[in-house]
Amino acid sequence: MAAASASTPREEIAGLDDEKSGDEYDVLVIGGGPAGEVAAQYAIAGSDRTAAIIEHELLGGECSYWACMPSKALLRPIEVHAGARNLDGIKVAKKLLPEELLRRRDAWVKQYEDGGQVKWAGGIGIDVIRGHGVITGEKTVVVDNGGTGRTIRARQAVIVATGSTPVIPDVFAGTQPWSSRDATGVREIPASLIVVGGGVVACEAATWMSALGSAVTLLSRGTLLGKSEPFAGKLVAKALADSGIEVRQKVDVTEVRRPVADDTGIGRIHGDQVTVVAGGEEFTADEVLVATGRRPARDGVGLDAVDEGASWLYAVGDASGGPALTHWGKYQARKVGHLIAARAEGRPEPVVPDDVPVPQVVFTDPQVASVGLTKKEAGDKGLDITIADVELSGVAGFGLLRDDAQGRARLVIDKATDTIVGATFVGPEVDELVHAATIAIVGKVPTSVLRHAVPSYPTVSEVWLQLLESLD
């Protein structure tokens, strides 16, 4: 029998040859991405409990090999190059070195080998089991690895951490478009590329593919970064256009044509040129990248066989249906790990706040760093709010970063509590600003107190002083 996939029926899994039945661990984790790894780690830390991670691909998951790490490995040199080109006193080449960029990417993904991750897991007492895990009953998982079934039981908990999969609209059926894995794992740089989408992946991928030498056209159904403050999408759209990317917003893709399509491998051109009809216009390129969102990878895991509300069953990361962000998945994983440990040891369950804000950074140039509510979201919740807006160009430390530095910052403040409920920063190297806002929101620090947090001069953090003074 062929190896099980995410869509393999549960009854087919149950019928596999059961060579190794009866295995037991305290904690079983299905999915070895960052959330799954952290959940297992925290569930057994400082104890004699046992844990195993079941993973059919590379241990470390999407983030380590196909998302966060390779994309940032590509984007950081591009950002530094742009900054250096716009800084008096430095002369740099006009063009980047694509081969060197891809070599850097390969180094950060460890040449797509997970030996280091497996060694780390073993070092803290976590076993790694290769194959597809499917829940077949209470605290019971069958692992299929090439037709061999292994039944494993959990004494304490089963954690589903299977991540997410890209959403490919039906209009692209049969055309073999690129997904985000192809973009981060690019091997053949297309002379021209159409990027469909307006979110984080679309904007970041357009940035690095353009820098690698592709003539990029970005087609977005709405405005760019539509979930952010409107000024963030506008500034990013302008920057992408200024860099030579053709940006079309508020256009629907209605037709896609590709005479010959072939799955030639991740990051390689998948056949003939592609024609995309959007907004009544035709766009033709050597390849098309579809970045229109992701959905939780929950099919074929066996969740239909159990009560998802069972006290022994947990979901973390993208599979939980929450924000598809690695740091958020790891936060969930720490909570779940602590909870499992407390229950196993008969301790009181940890108390956690129910309104933790979600931070995010979009690593375009300019960057977009945000946390909590936007102005619209706060209004929709019925909050009586005050908005503090500041142009970052007026902050001395920001202007010293680079000669073309432009950006904007916003705080959303709840009048009733005098506390920040949302913050957005747009500009070069604003990624490190957002954690201060996150701490202020989590700590519910009144702005009257924040006024006494003195920023160093001349740093970008002085924007906090200007934001708070603007409230006067």
Side-chain angles (χ1 to χ4, degrees):
M1 180 180 294
S5 68
S7 59
T8 303
R10 183 167 52 86
E11 59 271 17
E12 196 170 303
I13 290 285
L16 292 170
D17 296 330
D18 192 359
E19 287 188 352
K20 297 182 179 180
S21 61
D23 290 354
E24 281 195 344
Y25 290 87
D26 289 295
V27 179
L28 289 176
V29 181
I30 304 176
E37 290 176 323
V38 170
Q41 176 187 9
Y42 276 70
I44 68 171
S47 74
D48 59 0
R49 289 185 293 277
T50 58
I53 294 175
I54 302 162
E55 176 56 64
H56 69 282
E57 292 190 312
L58 295 171
L59 186 67
E62 204 76 12
C63 176
S64 297
Y65 304 100
W66 308 109
C68 316
M69 301 311 293
S71 64
K72 304 318 170 278
L74 291 166
L75 288 165
R76 178 56 180 165
I78 296 168
E79 180 184 39
V80 171
H81 181 259
R85 288 190 64 199
N86 290 280
L87 197 60
D88 285 345
I90 298 177
K91 287 187 177 180
V92 297
K94 290 185 177 180
K95 292 185 178 181
L96 290 156
L97 304 174
E99 297 82 4
E100 294 299 322
L101 277 177
L102 297 185
R103 190 173 292 116
R104 183 176 197 266
R105 182 269 320 272
D106 289 345
W108 274 95
V109 299
K110 310 301 183 186
Q111 313 300 323
Y112 299 97
E113 296 287 343
D114 66 357
Q117 299 278 98
V118 173
K119 184 177 180 180
W120 167 84
I124 61 172
I126 300 172
D127 285 353
V128 178
I129 300 172
R130 302 292 187 177
H132 290 267
V134 179
I135 301 168
T136 57
E138 182 176 351
K139 299 181 184 177
T140 303
V141 176
V142 170
V143 182
D144 172 35
N145 187 5
T148 300
R150 177 181 176 184
T151 299
I152 311 176
R153 293 178 177 85
R155 287 183 284 268
Q156 302 289 339
V158 176
I159 303 170
V160 176
T162 46
S164 59
T165 57
V167 174
I168 307 295
D170 292 341
V171 70
F172 291 93
T175 62
Q176 292 287 346
W178 272 13
S179 71
S180 57
R181 283 196 175 191
D182 296 285
T184 60
V186 57
R187 294 293 172 189
E188 296 176 356
I189 300 170
S192 53
L193 175 70
I194 297 169
V195 178
V196 178
V200 177
V201 174
C203 292
E204 289 187 351
T207 299
W208 79 68
M209 289 305 301
S210 176
L212 287 171
S214 286
V216 177
T217 300
L218 178 61
L219 306 176
S220 175
R221 185 176 184 179
T223 56
L224 297 193
L225 304 177
K227 295 181 180 180
S228 302
E229 296 283 11
F231 66 82
K234 290 178 181 178
L235 288 169
V236 170
K238 182 180 184 303
L240 292 176
D242 288 347
S243 71
I245 296 170
E246 184 176 359
V247 179
R248 298 296 185 92
Q249 301 181 73
K250 298 183 179 180
V251 293
D252 283 324
V253 174
T254 55
E255 183 183 357
V256 182
R257 302 191 300 270
R258 191 173 211 169
V260 177
D262 186 19
D263 184 1
T264 54
I266 292 176
R268 301 190 181 280
I269 297 173
H270 292 174
D272 291 347
Q273 284 195 322
V274 187
T275 297
V276 176
V277 180
E281 293 185 70
E282 288 194 356
F283 303 88
T284 299
D286 293 314
E287 191 53 81
V288 58
L289 163 63
V290 178
T292 52
R294 300 179 69 85
R295 64 167 61 94
R298 295 165 59 90
D299 294 342
V301 182
L303 291 172
D304 57 327
V306 295
D307 174 11
E308 289 196 44
S311 61
W312 54 269
L313 182 63
Y314 306 84
V316 296
D318 293 8
S320 72
L325 298 164
T326 295
H327 49 274
W328 187 252
K330 292 170 75 170
Y331 168 71
Q332 289 181 309
R334 292 191 294 271
K335 290 198 303 179
V336 164
H338 283 310
L339 178 58
I340 291 169
R343 288 177 172 176
E345 296 167 11
R347 295 186 282 107
E349 296 182 2
V351 177
V352 296
D354 57 6
D355 57 350
V356 176
V358 183
Q360 181 174 22
V361 178
V362 184
F363 290 89
T364 44
D365 185 10
Q367 295 176 347
V368 178
S370 60
V371 62
L373 304 175
T374 62
K375 177 181 177 181
K376 181 180 184 304
E377 289 169 339
D380 290 345
K381 284 180 173 289
L383 297 180
D384 185 12
I385 58 174
T386 296
I387 300 297
D389 280 327
V390 165
E391 295 297 324
L392 278 166
S393 56
V395 179
F398 182 76
L400 287 168
L401 288 178
R402 48 196 276 188
D403 300 332
D404 66 335
Q406 297 290 324
R408 188 175 174 186
R410 167 174 287 178
L411 298 181
V412 181
I413 299 161
D414 179 8
K415 287 183 179 181
T417 60
D418 187 37
T419 57
I420 299 169
V421 293
T424 299
F425 305 91
V426 182
E429 301 185 38
V430 296
D431 50 345
E432 297 297 344
L433 284 176
V434 75
H435 194 57
T438 303
I439 292 171
I441 296 173
V442 172
K444 301 186 187 319
V445 184
T447 65
S448 59
V449 174
L450 287 175
R451 290 170 183 267
H452 299 285
V454 182
S456 298
Y457 179 87
T459 66
V460 184
S461 293
E462 279 197 298
V463 68
W464 280 94
L465 178 59
Q466 294 198 15
L467 284 164
L468 294 171
E469 286 182 338
S470 75
L471 297 175
D472 298 332

